Amino acid sequence: MQGRFITFEGMDGSGKTTQMRLLAERLRREGREVLETVEPGGTEIGSQIRRILLDSANQELRPTAELLLYFASRAQNVEQCIQPALSAGKIVLCDRFTDSTLAYQGYGRGLGEETVLTLDRIACRGLAPDLTLLVDVNVDTALGRAHTRNASLFSSEETRMDEQSLEFHRKVREAYLALARHYSSRFRIINGHGSPEQVAQRVWEAVAQHV
Ligand code: TMP
């Protein structure tokens, strides 16, 4: 019995984290067993790696070191949590996965697709999402929401990526849309504008036939 692996992708401030939580609640109401996880993070060790990656004090972090840390977190999460949950037949919802690394490091930082895919083969050992939901909003909406969130006390330390230039975020959105075209059989683009409930309905329509 193999479960279903569903990933959420999108820019910072796209609303994907809220949408993943709403989907998890709905699936549980339908009686499904769900594991929610996040990249970077998801495990104790991954959470420690996440702190290094998102700490705005770490301005000296080099692109290659950054790339390897994202995959270190992912390798730990795949082996410790994601793969066992899938083997137990659960639905695994993951807030970001390798498509984030393709968009942010591969394209945004210019490290290239091949480098990212090579590391993916090592870290994830062939595990790929069954379905990827790209919660898409325009760059202004995304940055506006991300800045509102960062103004709150609790997330003020996790700003290193949000502080990148507008141009960087534009590139990330373009990369996501290109990925969705390239891997069109597993990607669904969800219009992220509107109320959380409206977006959640769009998510449900995309997911229902897959679970
Ligand atoms: P989050 O706030 O959505 O959890 O994402 C954390 C930040 O890390 C976000 O700015 C995107 C970035 N990120 C990458 O640059 N590469 C990756 O592989 C992942 C998973 C996240």
Side-chain angles (χ1 to χ4, degrees):
M1 186 172 63
Q2 184 74 3
R4 282 272 172 281
F5 185 32
I6 301 175
T7 56
F8 278 75
E9 294 286 354
M11 282 181 296
D12 309 69
S14 61
K16 65 183 169 41
T17 304
T18 304
Q19 289 307 319
M20 193 177 102
R21 181 174 48 75
L22 292 172
L23 177 63
E25 283 170 9
R26 181 145 186 189
L27 287 167
R28 289 195 181 104
R29 279 202 305 276
E30 308 253 326
R32 310 301 298 260
E33 265 202 280
V34 179
L35 173 81
E36 291 171 80
T37 187
V38 59
E39 281 296 314
T43 62
E44 238 344 283
I45 290 167
S47 299
Q48 293 179 41
I49 297 171
R50 181 182 175 96
R51 279 197 284 283
I52 298 171
L53 279 164
L54 302 187
D55 187 341
S56 63
N58 287 337
Q59 298 295 330
E60 293 199 335
L61 188 62
R62 297 298 194 266
T64 305
E66 176 188 71
L67 174 71
L68 291 168
L69 284 171
Y70 279 114
F71 274 112
S73 168
R74 194 162 305 142
Q76 184 72 27
N77 199 2
V78 166
E79 194 166 335
Q80 190 182 336
C81 297
I82 298 176
Q83 201 55 269
L86 290 172
S87 300
K90 294 184 187 168
I91 297 175
V92 176
L93 302 181
C94 192
D95 188 345
R96 300 192 180 280
F97 203 66
T98 297
D99 295 307
S100 282
T101 323
L102 285 165
Y104 284 79
Q105 281 68 45
Y107 196 68
R109 300 264 193 249
L111 293 176
E113 186 183 355
E114 241 347 278
T115 306
V116 175
L117 292 178
T118 301
L119 291 171
D120 177 72
R121 281 191 284 277
I122 297 167
C124 308
R125 302 191 217 161
L127 176 68
D130 297 302
L131 178 67
T132 298
L133 301 165
L134 172 58
V135 181
D136 183 52
V137 292
N138 62 46
V139 176
D140 290 342
T141 304
L143 290 183
R145 288 182 189 169
H147 287 150
T148 310
R149 181 192 59 198
N150 292 341
S152 79
L153 191 63
F154 299 115
S155 58
S156 59
E157 284 166 11
E158 288 201 352
T159 56
R160 195 182 62 87
M161 296 302 288
D162 299 351
E163 287 161 4
Q164 305 297 316
S165 69
L166 190 62
E167 192 44 40
F168 180 84
H169 291 285
R170 286 217 174 89
K171 270 191 184 177
V172 167
R173 183 178 184 216
E174 258 175 49
Y176 268 134
L177 293 171
L179 285 167
R181 281 193 297 274
H182 187 72
Y183 300 103
S184 57
S185 59
R186 77 171 158 89
F187 261 89
R188 296 291 174 274
I189 300 177
I190 306 293
N191 174 0
H193 297 99
S195 70
E197 294 72 25
Q198 284 169 327
V199 180
Q201 186 52 33
R202 294 176 200 139
V203 167
W204 184 250
E205 281 159 20
V207 167
Q209 75 222 49
H210 288 270
V211 294

